[in-house]
Amino acid sequence: MSAYWPFIVIGIFTGGLYGLAAMGMVLTYKTVGVFNFAYGAIAMFCAFTYWQLHDQWGISAWVAMPILFLLVAPVIGVILEGLFRPLSGAAIEVVIVVSLGVLAALSAAAGLIWPQDEHLQAIFPISTFRFGSTLHVGYDQLGTLLISLSMAAVLWGLLRHTRFGTQTRAVVDNPDLSDMIGVHGDNVRRVAWILSSVFAALVGILISPSQGLDVNQLVLVVIYAFAPAVLGILFGLPAAYLGGLGLGIAVSLMSKWSNSGTVSNLEAALPYLLLFILLVVFANRLKAAGSGAVAQRLSALRSAETVQRLRWSVGSFRVERGLAVGLGGFVLALLVPLAFPGPNLDFLTQGFIYAVIALTLVVLTGWAGQISLAQFAFVGVGAFTAGHLAGAHGQHFLFAVVMGMLFAAPLGIIVGLVSLRLSGLYLALATLAFALVMDNVVFNRSDVSGGQTGITVARPHFFGMSFTGRAAMYELAVVVFALIAIVAYALRQGPVGRRLHIVRDSPLAASTLGVNLTVTKIVVFVVGAMVAALGGSLYGAWQQAITPQDFMWSASLALLLVVVLGGRSLISGAVIAGVVYVIPLLPQIPTKIKELIPLLVALGVIGLAQEPEGTVALARRQTRYVLGVLRPLPRRTPREREGVPTGKVVPGHVR
């Protein structure tokens, strides 16, 4: 046991931070109904702010910390409360997308404001003292543990033994009744957001000295706390803190055997594996709270209306003008090489390949209502399969594509089976955990991806045709996108499309209409995974050199955001996603504009999250407004010009 004792102690120090972060997330979820995906980004942003105040401007820690905890963090909390308040009762996927948009916005803003890979000084001395006969413990580690314990106790006492805690439970249990007895729900939720942001700021400045000031690393480390947060949702705040301690100990113990190889990969993926397992095991006990619960109740109330509205339309087939527009766009796209024969054609090729991948998310999220943060995991499967099987000259490319799609199918089945037990927030968490497990366990293997150096993928060569040329590869990407888009469009207009929309709008109504939810969800995930793998094969062939970094979970997050921006329920939304993807690649775009694009996308997603047609709907609305303003007024009759109301007779006035 003595051999494990040092790892247990180190795990307790680290686990205290995970527990503290988990309690902050549970607080907002229990009170407001928002699982804050941006919690790590808030911690990161506050850590950079403290570094700016203390390390760069030389402000004393006794002044910088009050500024951070009493001004910066509360302001962030108030902004978030104002952002999420109008979303009360909105669909759960809208709340999730806005939270992810906040994550992306804070990450992009931090990348623009501050340099990366800086080091934050610890707020405690870094000297050590002897603990036991062989273990040396740092004062910074001990201070971190004591702060996390004391703050966890303060939060638990605040919610259990104060008037604010009573008001919080009243707002959570029955918002309408709490308003009737004089409890102001908005004030309670605002305080909850402020407390959660303060906890995030504390986590940020405590964890940054050991992790470094890196945007992606800090966000990723705080995601470790998602598994303890699920425990807190199930069993209360103490369970969240104890779960964080247990996770820290487990990760530390695994480090004893994980110098390299599979065990090291499992150590890195352990928090995500535990998150995935917890979600699946406790699926029946996980219930939506706050605004999520309101959305579920509204969905249930709409079920009967949905049945009546949709029953008559089953079996009908409606042809829209969009088909003609799409065919015209396809013809124009094929003619593009005549107008842009140079390097710009390369960027357009990348845009169409990205649009193929985005189209899977349109069907999955926009039509079937199943949020996925793991699409690029399937893209990676297709790309690495093509790298291994396509051959040195791409002569086996079609075989590699088919095998990549077949390899992706069972992974799609796994996620599809999970979607039968989970939905909304918990499905998003499960797909995020799945993507992170793929990143750390599968794609990190050198025999799969070639490690950090990556592998090469040959350009396609089949049926006597070579696609090594710029125009040939472009036309292949256009044809593949067009074929998939036509099939998707036809399915959308027929019974399959209506079945998916019913599943999205109301699963209860879908069951009433005889839709097999099990088959529908599994099929849509499997097909989405296989088409994403097809897109991955093209992606790898175009890039020619691919590494695990190309398929990280952040790529799936970016894909979801650009699809929401373009219009998550429209095929044209996939095209817009491809355009947004291409813009930063164009050499004609100034560097400053390229750096701003991620922030602009995140802000656009936050603003358009409730609009399923994204920028398309916004353009239509603005066009109608402008046309309404420019429309000429009706001509006035002579009587109206004289001020005589129509239909009234004025004495002495001759008609």
Side-chain angles (χ1 to χ4, degrees), residues 215-343:
V215 170
N216 296 324
Q217 181 64 24
L218 286 177
V219 171
L220 197 59
V221 167
V222 177
I223 292 178
Y224 276 31
F226 282 11
V230 171
L231 283 177
I233 293 171
L234 287 166
F235 304 111
L237 288 175
Y241 189 80
L242 293 176
L245 289 177
L247 176 62
I249 293 171
V251 172
S252 181
L253 285 173
M254 286 197 68
S255 67
K256 180 177 173 61
W257 302 283
S258 61
N259 293 328
S260 62
T262 303
V263 178
S264 177
N265 294 339
L266 287 174
E267 177 200 350
L270 182 61
Y272 318 127
L273 282 170
L274 292 177
L275 174 60
F276 192 83
I277 293 171
L278 283 173
L279 290 169
V280 174
V281 172
F282 293 104
N284 294 331
R285 298 189 57 180
L286 291 168
K287 303 295 182 182
S291 62
V294 173
Q296 283 190 345
R297 289 195 293 269
L298 292 176
S299 177
L301 291 174
R302 288 194 299 263
S303 294
E305 177 186 350
T306 304
V307 172
Q308 295 298 326
R309 187 178 71 251
L310 295 174
R311 186 184 301 275
W312 65 269
S313 66
V314 174
S316 65
F317 186 90
R318 184 166 55 92
V319 178
E320 298 180 353
R321 291 178 299 175
L323 182 59
V325 173
L327 291 175
F330 171 67
V331 173
L332 290 177
L334 289 179
L335 298 177
V336 163
L338 299 177
F340 301 96

Side-chain angles (χ1 to χ4, degrees), residues 242-580:
L242 293 176
L245 289 177
L247 176 62
I249 293 171
V251 172
S252 181
L253 285 173
M254 286 197 68
S255 67
K256 180 177 173 61
W257 302 283
S258 61
N259 293 328
S260 62
T262 303
V263 178
S264 177
N265 294 339
L266 287 174
E267 177 200 350
L270 182 61
Y272 318 127
L273 282 170
L274 292 177
L275 174 60
F276 192 83
I277 293 171
L278 283 173
L279 290 169
V280 174
V281 172
F282 293 104
N284 294 331
R285 298 189 57 180
L286 291 168
K287 303 295 182 182
S291 62
V294 173
Q296 283 190 345
R297 289 195 293 269
L298 292 176
S299 177
L301 291 174
R302 288 194 299 263
S303 294
E305 177 186 350
T306 304
V307 172
Q308 295 298 326
R309 187 178 71 251
L310 295 174
R311 186 184 301 275
W312 65 269
S313 66
V314 174
S316 65
F317 186 90
R318 184 166 55 92
V319 178
E320 298 180 353
R321 291 178 299 175
L323 182 59
V325 173
L327 291 175
F330 171 67
V331 173
L332 290 177
L334 289 179
L335 298 177
V336 163
L338 299 177
F340 301 96
N344 285 335
L345 195 61
D346 297 341
F347 305 121
L348 295 178
T349 304
Q350 290 177 289
F352 274 104
I353 294 173
Y354 196 81
V356 170
I357 302 168
L359 195 56
T360 65
L361 206 56
V362 170
V363 176
L364 191 64
T365 300
W367 298 356
Q370 307 299 306
I371 290 183
S372 174
L373 291 171
Q375 287 307 101
F376 257 82
F378 306 120
V379 174
V381 170
F384 287 123
T385 302
H388 286 288
L389 301 180
H393 304 288
Q395 66 272 24
H396 307 306
F397 188 80
L398 285 182
F399 171 74
V401 169
V402 173
M403 293 305 298
M405 296 172 71
L406 292 178
F407 289 153
L411 299 177
I413 291 175
I414 293 174
V415 180
L417 290 173
V418 171
S419 73
L420 300 179
R421 297 174 58 82
L422 300 168
S423 61
L425 165 66
Y426 303 112
L427 178 60
L429 285 172
T431 56
L432 173 62
F434 177 83
L436 288 166
V437 169
M438 292 290 292
D439 288 348
N440 290 279
V441 177
V442 179
F443 295 156
N444 268 355
R445 292 179 60 91
S446 58
D447 56 346
V448 172
S449 63
Q452 298 303 313
T453 58
I455 61 175
T456 59
V457 184
R459 290 287 176 88
H461 188 99
F462 52 85
F463 299 146
M465 296 181 293
S466 175
F467 295 90
T468 56
R470 177 177 289 143
M473 191 66 192
Y474 167 81
E475 291 173 353
L476 177 62
V478 171
V479 170
V480 171
F481 173 78
L483 291 176
I484 296 174
I486 290 172
V487 172
Y489 184 86
L491 292 176
R492 182 190 183 189
Q493 301 304 322
V496 173
R498 282 186 292 276
R499 187 177 293 115
L500 294 179
H501 282 290
I502 299 171
V503 171
R504 179 196 64 187
D505 294 338
S506 176
L508 180 59
S511 299
T512 304
L513 291 171
V515 176
N516 190 319
L517 294 179
T518 300
V519 173
T520 301
K521 288 187 176 182
I522 291 178
V523 168
V524 75
F525 271 104
V526 170
V527 173
M530 295 177 71
V531 175
L534 168 61
S537 300
L538 293 174
Y539 182 89
W542 176 249
Q543 293 286 103
Q544 293 188 283
I546 54 175
T547 66
Q549 284 71 30
D550 293 322
F551 312 104
M552 294 179 64
W553 72 278
S554 55
S556 297
L557 170 61
L559 175 68
L560 176 63
L561 295 180
V562 294
V563 168
V564 170
L565 183 67
R568 64 183 180 272
S569 64
L570 299 175
I571 293 177
S572 58
V575 178
I576 295 175
V579 172
V580 174

